[in-house]
Amino acid sequence: MMNVPQLRLESTNARIGLDIQQPVQEIQQAPADLKIKQPKAELEVNRTLSQLTIDQTEAWADMDLKHISRRIEEFAQRGYEDWLSGLARMSQEGDDLMRVENGGNPIAEHAKMNSESPMYEFNIGFIPRANSVKINYQPSKVQLNWQTHKPEIDITVNRPQHQYTPGKVNISIEQMPSLKINWTT
């Protein structure tokens, strides 16, 4: 057998070490400072008073409870009407007496008419009459005047507080590469 020379190689790989420091980032955001002021609205109310009037004059008159001035006025009017009707009656009687030649007995007829009581009519009635009380109502009027005010808003923005520490990577060779060559026979 023959001895052939041999070449032997021994190698060692390089080994790299990494030392990594992570980056650090800190962010703090303070909320914005907000001030809101809302002035009150102004309201003005103008109102007229409502008015209710009740007139019972006719209802009282229906029950014969009249004011003295109204009684005087009614008596004066009735006296005037009675005076006019008396004049008309006397004029008619005078005309009847002038025409005596037409026949009849005007003196006896006039005596009979003037001596008889007048016929009064009576009907069922209600005292006081319906709708004799007059009612008038005027409602009040309301006027509203208002003035609104916009809110006063004051905003102060706070900037974020930002701190950043960058990361580092340190590279080192933990094992150096090597190559050994041996020759053997």
Side-chain angles (χ1 to χ4, degrees), residues 36-149:
I36 300 176
K37 187 177 181 183
Q38 176 65 61
K40 293 180 180 178
E42 297 172 17
L43 175 63
E44 180 182 340
V45 179
N46 294 322
R47 180 177 67 95
T48 61
L49 296 176
S50 56
Q51 187 174 7
L52 173 65
T53 55
I54 300 173
D55 184 5
Q56 303 180 86
T57 307
E58 292 303 315
W60 288 112
D62 287 349
M63 295 185 295
D64 201 30
L65 298 171
K66 300 174 188 173
H67 191 269
I68 188 67
S69 60
R70 184 165 177 177
R71 284 200 187 274
I72 292 170
E73 184 181 324
E74 287 177 357
F75 287 149
Q77 181 65 30
R78 190 177 305 152
Y80 180 69
E81 289 171 2
D82 288 347
W83 177 69
L84 286 178
S85 67
L87 280 179
R89 183 179 52 83
M90 288 163 71
S91 174
Q92 181 64 41
E93 288 175 357
D95 287 347
D96 290 345
L97 289 173
M98 273 186 356
R99 294 188 194 96
V100 137
E101 68 274 0
N102 292 342
N105 190 357
I107 294 176
E109 289 173 8
H110 292 169
K112 182 179 178 192
M113 277 180 19
N114 291 334
S115 65
E116 291 178 350
S117 296
M119 294 293 290
Y120 293 109
E121 291 185 24
F122 179 75
N123 199 352
I124 296 175
F126 297 97
I127 298 178
R129 291 175 288 135
N131 299 325
S132 61
V133 176
K134 304 295 183 217
I135 298 174
N136 185 20
Y137 175 70
Q138 292 178 345
S140 63
K141 294 179 183 175
V142 178
Q143 183 180 13
L144 300 176
N145 296 321
W146 65 85
Q147 185 176 16
T148 58
H149 301 287

